Amino acid sequence: MTRRRIWVAGHKGMVGSALTRCLEKRGDEVLKADRSVVDLRNQIAVEVWLKQNRPDAILFAAAKVGGIYANDTFPAEFIYDNLAIETNIIHSAHAADVNRLVFLGSSCIYPKFAPQPIKEESLLTGPLEPTNEWYAIAKIAGIKLCQAYRKQYGRRYISVMPCNLYGTHDNFDLTTSHVLPALIRKFHEAKIAGGKRVVVWGTGAPLREFLHVDDLARGVVFCLDNYDEYQHINCGAGSEISIAGLARTVARAVGFNGELVFDTTKPDGTPRKLMDSSRILELGWKPEISLEEGIADSYRWFLAHEEDLPMRYGKSVA
Ligand code: GFB
């Protein structure tokens, strides 16, 4: 296979670094643009960089991301940053004559009460979950940008929708993280401090679908090679677990034997978001990392990097 030059936009994030590992393993050349060189919210900077570098394809993993609290607290950044990054990259890719691009969305694009498992066709059929509608609207705009440049200019731009992700290079800052890394950190710190109780946000009842980021990276690269349709495509693990069940699984993996306390003053978010991934499964991709293996892998990564991680608000044990 010929060696391709691929720009991974957002190469330092959890998804971008997994994509970089996956492409480099295949022998592709990965182009990287550091934030200090190109602020992706700056239209001119993106346009100039893309015209100078002209990759064969773009894997679009750059985004302002965060868990339920961050989404609900910083709606302006979640909608503005993401819209700006998307319009800049997708329009500039077209202007630089880059004909292949894979945009990454999120399962929160679907209506809060979409029929489960959620098919791609459920997009724009009902109201969104309020805690993350700003991010969801921006991600829907990204899908529509890809479709617009495909429809009008014949660009081979596609969109892949992952479910909730976790893994290497996750964010363990409790105010901005997603649930899985937050629980790893909370249980670990409680274990070390001899804490008896760990607080889990919400009722514990919501159901979520978790995919290891290395499985997602293989799925995205698989779509780059094998998928070229107007319709976006789901990429999920195919099974779901309640937040209470997840908390018990993470506690076991970390070795915390104390009590779980559910803080119902914190939001649950959407009750359930299991995607129907039959499209990508039929094409030939499938997940390979079980939740138990993935959590063990994430915990090892956390232990190896604990000292270097940004933990802005101090330790989690009261
Ligand atoms: O992972 P998470 O923040 O994102 O939360 P969402 C999932 C569930 O876990 C919610 C509960 O019901 C939380 O209340 N939870 C329990 C916790 N304990 C914790 C904790 O310590 N930290 C966090 N963060 N949650 C995000 C969206 O939704 O998922 C984004 O806001 C995006 O837009 C992303 O789609 C994948 O699944 O609720």
Side-chain angles (χ1 to χ4, degrees), residues 66-68 71 106 108 132 135 164 177-179 182-183 186 200-202 206 208 243 267-269 273:
I68 193 166
N71 266 269
S106 162
C108 70
N132 56 36
Y135 178 73
N164 286 41
S177 69
H178 291 96
V179 60
L183 292 176
K186 287 181 183 177
V200 179
W201 295 353
R208 292 290 184 275
I243 296 303
D268 269 348
K273 47 176 171 178

Side-chain angles (χ1 to χ4, degrees), residues 58-132:
I58 300 172
L59 297 188
F60 190 155
K64 165 103 184 149
V65 297
I68 193 166
Y69 176 80
N71 266 269
D72 205 24
T73 312
F74 308 111
E77 276 80 24
F78 274 84
I79 193 162
Y80 172 76
D81 286 7
N82 286 307
L83 284 174
I85 293 168
E86 289 162 12
T87 52
N88 292 344
I89 292 183
I90 295 169
H91 176 74
S92 303
H94 168 64
D97 205 19
V98 177
N99 205 33
R100 190 71 171 134
L101 179 148
V102 183
F103 173 68
L104 279 154
S106 162
S107 57
C108 70
I109 59 159
Y110 292 116
K112 176 168 184 160
F113 298 113
Q116 311 276 322
I118 312 172
K119 291 187 185 306
E120 287 87 352
E121 290 76 10
S122 284
L123 183 64
L124 295 174
T125 56
L128 298 163
E129 153 61 31
T131 54
N132 56 36

